[in-house]
Amino acid sequence: MDIVEVKLEDLNVKEFIAQKIGEISSTVGNGIAINALSGGVDSSVVTMLGYKALGRRLKTFFIENGIMRHEEPQQVVSTFRALGVPIEIIDAQKQFFQALRGLTDPEEKREAITRTFYKDVFSKVVKEHDARFLLQGSIYTDVEETIAGVKRQHNVLVQLGIDTEKRFGYTVIEPLIALRKPAVRVVAKALGLPETIYGRPPFPGPALAARIIGEVTKERVEIVRKATKIVEETLSDTGAFQYMAILHKEKVTGIRDGRRDYGHQIEIRCWESHDAKTGLPTRLSFDTLEEMAARITEEITDVVSVTYNITRKPPSTLEAV
Ligand code: XMP
């Protein structure tokens, strides 16, 4: 690939910020740019850079796709409001669930999310606002993994030869494309973003859909959302790189109130990693694991089985889909 990586040790954060603000300013000119904020460190940094460069000519949207975590939309919007950056929420839940209906193949699910996001939801927003530019937070690793054919990251378009002008009607600007996550975190901190953002564990573009094996329906998202909340509450102090709950496709037999209960299976993963390229399962205490299993099966009555993944990456990947 022809992008030259800017390594963390070579990053001059002040210069980087000034340079990117200048580039965004001159590319967009007097025009309008839009961007989608998910609350992850990458899109948060892009929002701040864009806002510093363009002020109110940057229109930032939080796309409520129905597959985010518990109260995530409200939390993200209020964090940015506190920083003086206005965010508009677009409710696109119906479109996403419609696009995902009946799909079980991982790449088809990713493709449906990408298509819905860029073509159905974003193209419309761009047109409505007469914007010709989309700012987005793709980073070096996204491109690397997509080109290597490991997984198609939802935000990689230009590097796959997709002409966004022709296909979607806008030009994509990617200020972070030469950085990896640790460098993005340094930029985030320097931009004054709170630790809840610059220190936040990675969360995938396809959101909870990356953690649902099989069909993504409203009901199944709700199960994994509740389990995610429990896993995050229990493991946030571990310092692990990432921790998550995954909903399995098949149900299994369990017992509730002395009777057979055919219920869902949740798999917990907790990872030690530096760059997400490789990973080791965290050696969690059995008490912690039991505590999570008890809470998950008590608070989500459709779940009868909880397991912990002890595989390394590779051959596993961090996410399940
Ligand atoms: P995997 O699952 O490939 O994830 O080991 C590597 C890191 O990338 C994060 N991430 C994504 N993973 N699709 C993914 O499967 C995406 O669109 C995506 N965006 C980010 C993932 O959470 C893990 O940290």
Side-chain angles (χ1 to χ4, degrees):
M1 81 181 144
D2 26 336
I3 304 157
V4 181
E5 182 190 349
V6 175
K7 297 222 161 89
L8 181 59
E9 57 270 28
D10 300 329
L11 175 73
N12 179 326
V13 72
K14 269 197 181 149
E15 260 175 32
F16 179 88
I17 291 172
Q19 189 195 344
K20 292 301 159 190
I21 291 175
E23 282 173 15
I24 296 168
S25 237
S26 63
T27 309
V28 177
N30 290 325
I32 286 173
I34 62 167
N35 80 311
L37 171 68
S38 67
V41 63
D42 307 337
S43 68
S44 297
V45 167
V46 163
T47 302
M48 289 309 283
L49 290 174
Y51 191 71
K52 282 181 189 285
L54 307 171
R56 294 292 171 126
R57 282 183 299 112
L58 176 74
K59 310 279 176 207
T60 301
F61 299 92
F62 184 99
I63 308 295
E64 165 56 297
N65 51 18
I67 47 179
M68 300 301 279
R69 287 169 290 187
H70 181 71
E71 290 182 349
E72 203 161 10
Q74 298 80 348
Q75 278 164 9
V76 173
V77 170
S78 68
T79 301
F80 276 82
R81 286 218 175 116
L83 292 164
V85 183
I87 314 288
E88 197 180 310
I89 298 186
I90 295 179
D91 186 353
Q93 298 183 63
K94 251 195 201 151
Q95 282 124 296
F96 278 90
F97 282 117
Q98 229 154 37
L100 285 162
R101 188 182 298 157
L103 302 184
T104 52
D105 176 80
E107 283 304 317
E108 283 180 14
K109 290 197 285 191
R110 281 164 191 278
E111 173 59 28
I113 292 169
T114 304
R115 203 183 48 241
T116 309
F117 185 88
Y118 288 98
K119 201 154 194 293
D120 304 342
V121 179
F122 242 72
S123 297
K124 237 197 216 155
V125 178
V126 174
K127 274 192 204 116
E128 276 166 19
H129 287 81
D130 216 10
R132 277 195 36 236
F133 301 92
L134 170 67
L135 267 173
Q136 72 168 13
S138 336
I139 63 171
Y140 196 80
T141 329
D142 296 340
V143 182
E144 209 174 41
E145 288 224 337
T146 301
I147 290 175
V150 178
K151 279 181 191 178
R152 172 165 174 183
Q153 306 285 321
H154 81 293
N155 55 5
V156 175
L157 302 163
V158 180
Q159 292 79 12
L160 288 175
I162 295 172
D163 184 339
T164 58
E165 279 279 5
K166 247 194 202 152
R167 205 148 144 192
F168 309 128
Y170 50 74
T171 301
V172 175
I173 306 174
E174 296 173 311
L176 309 181
I177 203 73
L179 305 184
R180 287 184 193 274
K181 195 75 91 185
V184 181
R185 292 191 194 283
V186 172
V187 177
K189 195 171 177 188
L191 282 166
L193 285 160
E195 192 180 353
T196 47
I197 302 252
Y198 73 72
R200 192 172 109 133
F203 187 65
L208 295 174
R211 298 175 180 174
I212 295 177
I213 306 173
E215 191 181 0
V216 180
T217 62
K218 246 189 168 155
E219 295 70 30
R220 303 189 82 225
V221 170
E222 199 44 42
I223 294 169
V224 87
R225 181 180 283 134
K226 284 183 182 157
T228 300
K229 184 169 182 278
I230 294 168
V231 169
E232 290 189 348
E233 280 170 6
T234 314
L235 300 182
S236 63
D237 289 341
T238 56
F241 179 81
Q242 214 170 350
Y243 29 86
M244 61 191 75
I246 290 156
L247 175 63
H248 278 222
K249 187 174 180 178
E250 304 296 341
K251 288 185 170 183
V252 286
T253 297
I255 310 169
R256 242 178 233 284
D257 305 324
R259 303 185 63 181
R260 179 195 181 107
D261 183 10
Y262 203 51
H264 291 288
Q265 306 184 63
I266 288 287
E267 175 188 323
I268 296 169
R269 296 185 182 188
C270 183
W271 294 104
E272 301 302 315
S273 177
H274 294 295
D275 54 9
K277 279 172 123 182
T278 58
L280 293 175
T282 305
R283 292 182 172 233
L284 295 173
S285 81
F286 216 88
D287 287 348
T288 304
L289 292 168
E290 277 186 332
E291 183 195 323
M292 285 190 287
R295 272 195 69 188
I296 290 171
T297 49
E298 275 158 26
E299 294 174 31
I300 318 168
T301 50
D302 297 348
V303 176
V304 296
S305 169
V306 177
T307 55
Y308 185 55
N309 189 311
I310 50 167
T311 320
R312 296 174 174 212
K313 172 182 179 175
S316 180
T317 52
L318 303 195
E319 303 289 347
V321 170

